[in-house]
Amino acid sequence: MMPLFAAATSLMFALPAAAEVDIQQIETPMGFKAWLVEEPSIPFTSLEIRFKGGTSLDAPGKRGATNLMVGLLEEGAGAYDAQGFAAESEALAASFGYDAGPDSVSVSARFLTENRDEAAELLRQSLIEPSFSETAIERVRQQVISGIRSDAKDPDSIASATFDKAVFGDHPYATDQSGTVESVKALTRDDIVDAWQGAMAKDRVYIAATGDISPDELSALIDNLLGDLPDTGAAMPEGYDVETTAGTTVVPFDTPQSVAIFGHKGMKRDDPDFFAAYVMNTILGGGGFEARLMSEVREKRGLTYGVYSYLVPMDHAELYLGRVASSNDRIGEAIEVIRDEWAKMAENGATEAELEQAKTYLTGAYPLRFDGNGPIARILVGMQMDGLTPDYIATRNDNIEAVTLEDVKRVAGELLKPDALRFVVVGQPEGVESDDAG
């Protein structure tokens, strides 16, 4: 059975062009909505389910509950303990994945057509009848705590945590979704059950499927899979208006290379200028070796192996972030170059050559994302959560091409805020002082 599944997954179909994706929208008798791309040539299906909310739904004082709960979903369900669940998954050649993020809980499943009903029933038990046994809780709890302790020694994790704590006040985004050693140790089974009921409910579910399954078959599968979920989950967090001040926060850490996270407020995903901002960022720090930051910081000065920037449009706040690492004696110079490039782009925008290069890169790379059933299902469910329509796949590159040089300059002037660009540096940076304003 397993070799057949392996062969099927290795032959996932690749689309010749993103615009050819044929998305069917279905609504089940129980009212669930889903997007489907049928591909019957290979007898397996990828199913992607997302629950909006994620770890930001953790109750006050229960940080880490949703993350721990998700880690337990395949550690025993229905009639199966953890070993039995794994053995049954393997016997069915089915693959299940569970993950938690700040804004969603994701469930990924792949199963063969010949085992579809049995695999869906096993998945249903993990979602509807998780055991949350004390034995499994203690085992996964120790794994989570080990990860938290490991992050406490990682400069990148320390920098991100320091930046988030400074920016987000008392919002859940301010603290790590895994929780702290103390908060995870204090979580009880009742806390985990509460997190499960709060995070996985009908009023926040998004579904996409790709592969060998018809609309009627998918509809019946979804109703059976999710029909017994609670109607509503926990209340969503409030939105948060990010404010930063220009300057540097230094976190002393014994390492020969300093890591810096930098940024300020970003842009919402549904902002009319999002495409212009996306193109502008590609030119500044998001386009690999052709981006300005990479050219100025790495290629011309040899200050780093990598530097980049990216938009972070979360559900309840938005950031514009970047990351660089350099030796302790050169990180200060790298920071100054980044500040200069941030200000230059804000004031002058881009050149025509940079704009055309960015468009070529972004439009050429887009079809490559659609390289199999699993990636397509993930893209489709992500589009739904972002409030996009199915024709986005066909029109996305047109929107990129429509961005003008004037758009880039205008958006750069509005989005980039040199007077609010905050750096958090973890290491022993020579000549870089903390201003304590972060």
Side-chain angles (χ1 to χ4, degrees):
M1 194 69 73
M2 185 62 77
L4 175 59
F5 183 75
T9 55
S10 68
L11 291 172
M12 293 182 292
F13 71 93
L15 297 173
E20 296 179 18
V21 176
D22 181 15
I23 300 173
Q24 302 179 65
Q25 298 183 75
I26 70 170
E27 182 167 355
T28 75
M30 296 184 71
F32 294 104
K33 297 178 180 178
W35 289 7
L36 167 65
V37 174
E38 280 190 83
E39 172 45 53
S41 64
I42 301 174
F44 91 103
T45 300
S46 290
L47 176 67
E48 196 74 19
I49 302 168
R50 300 273 175 86
F51 296 92
K52 205 176 189 70
T55 59
S56 63
L57 297 176
D58 282 345
K62 306 297 181 186
R63 195 59 171 146
T66 303
N67 179 68
L68 181 56
M69 177 275 291
V70 171
L72 287 160
L73 290 177
E74 59 182 336
E75 295 294 323
Y80 301 101
D81 60 12
Q83 291 74 25
F85 188 89
E88 186 64 11
S89 300
E90 185 174 349
L92 293 170
S95 172
F96 306 129
Y98 310 82
D99 197 15
D103 292 328
S104 68
V105 169
S106 63
V107 179
S108 304
R110 295 186 297 173
F111 41 80
L112 294 168
T113 301
E114 66 183 82
N115 293 331
R116 179 191 301 148
D117 292 343
E118 295 90 340
E121 171 56 24
L122 191 61
L123 179 61
R124 189 196 71 81
Q125 291 183 34
S126 74
L127 303 179
I128 307 298
E129 304 174 28
S131 302
F132 298 137
S133 72
E134 294 292 353
T135 300
I137 289 172
E138 290 310 314
R139 181 173 59 251
V140 178
R141 188 201 308 271
Q142 293 309 313
Q143 294 169 357
V144 172
I145 289 174
S146 177
I148 294 171
R149 287 175 170 154
S150 177
D151 286 346
K153 302 175 183 177
D154 177 62
D156 278 294
S157 297
I158 296 170
S160 294
T162 304
F163 191 95
D164 290 344
K165 183 178 180 180
V167 167
F168 288 118
D170 58 357
H171 194 278
Y173 289 160
T175 55
D176 191 281
Q177 66 179 13
S178 296
T180 65
V181 171
E182 292 73 24
S183 71
V184 174
K185 281 184 176 179
L187 292 172
T188 66
R189 186 180 186 280
D190 286 345
D191 295 330
I192 293 165
V193 171
D194 289 344
W196 167 56
Q197 294 174 334
M200 304 177 74
K202 293 177 182 175
D203 64 340
R204 60 201 60 203
V205 67
Y206 296 80
I207 309 160
T210 306
D212 182 29
I213 189 167
S214 70
D216 287 344
E217 291 167 339
L218 179 60
S219 180
L221 184 150
I222 291 171
D223 278 354
N224 180 63
L225 186 64
L226 305 176
D228 289 331
L229 287 173
D231 289 334
T232 58
M236 297 288 176
E238 298 289 332
Y240 192 86
D241 190 17
V242 172
E243 292 186 13
T244 54
T245 57
T248 307
T249 301
V250 175
V251 181
F253 191 80
D254 187 14
T255 174
Q257 177 173 272
S258 292
V259 172
I261 299 291
F262 52 94
H264 52 53
K265 183 175 181 177
M267 177 179 283
K268 294 183 183 298
R269 180 61 183 83
D270 60 357
D271 192 295
D273 278 329
F274 188 83
F275 278 108
Y278 191 53
V279 172
M280 185 278 295
N281 176 63
T282 301
I283 297 168
L284 177 60
F289 285 94
E290 303 300 329
R292 283 191 189 181
L293 293 183
M294 187 69 95
S295 175
E296 296 294 331
V297 181
R298 171 178 164 142
E299 299 303 316
K300 292 184 180 179
R301 297 173 176 82
L303 298 173
T304 184
Y305 285 109
V307 55
Y308 52 87
S309 61
Y310 52 103
L311 296 160
V312 189
M314 297 180 285
D315 284 355
H316 311 293
E318 50 281 347
L319 292 172
Y320 188 14
L321 295 176
R323 187 261 186 197
V324 67
S326 187
S327 59
N328 286 330
D329 62 339
R330 305 198 73 186
I331 187 71
E333 184 180 356
I335 290 172
E336 289 309 310
V337 174
I338 292 168
R339 282 182 174 139
D340 287 346
E341 293 305 316
W342 214 262
K344 288 177 185 176
M345 180 66 87
E347 182 176 356
N348 304 319
T351 68
E352 189 67 48
E354 288 175 322
L355 176 61
E356 291 308 311
Q357 189 173 51
K359 288 180 178 180
T360 299
Y361 170 75
L362 291 172
T363 57
Y366 189 55
L368 302 179
R369 300 182 188 179
F370 298 79
D371 64 349
N373 286 358
I376 293 172
R378 287 192 289 275
I379 289 171
L380 298 190
V381 81
M383 287 171 56
Q384 294 175 68
M385 295 191 74
D386 284 340
L388 303 174
T389 55
D391 66 351
Y392 173 83
I393 295 175
T395 62
R396 182 264 194 190
N397 278 357
D398 293 338
N399 287 318
I400 295 290
E401 294 288 1
V403 174
T404 67
L405 205 57
E406 291 71 26
D407 292 333
V408 171
K409 184 175 182 180
R410 172 176 51 79
V411 169
E414 296 171 356
L415 179 61
L416 296 169
K417 305 179 189 305
D419 60 350
L421 185 57
R422 167 65 44 179
F423 284 78
V424 172
V425 184
V426 178
Q428 301 289 337
E430 298 177 13
V432 179
E433 302 293 332
S434 182
D435 58 22
D436 297 324

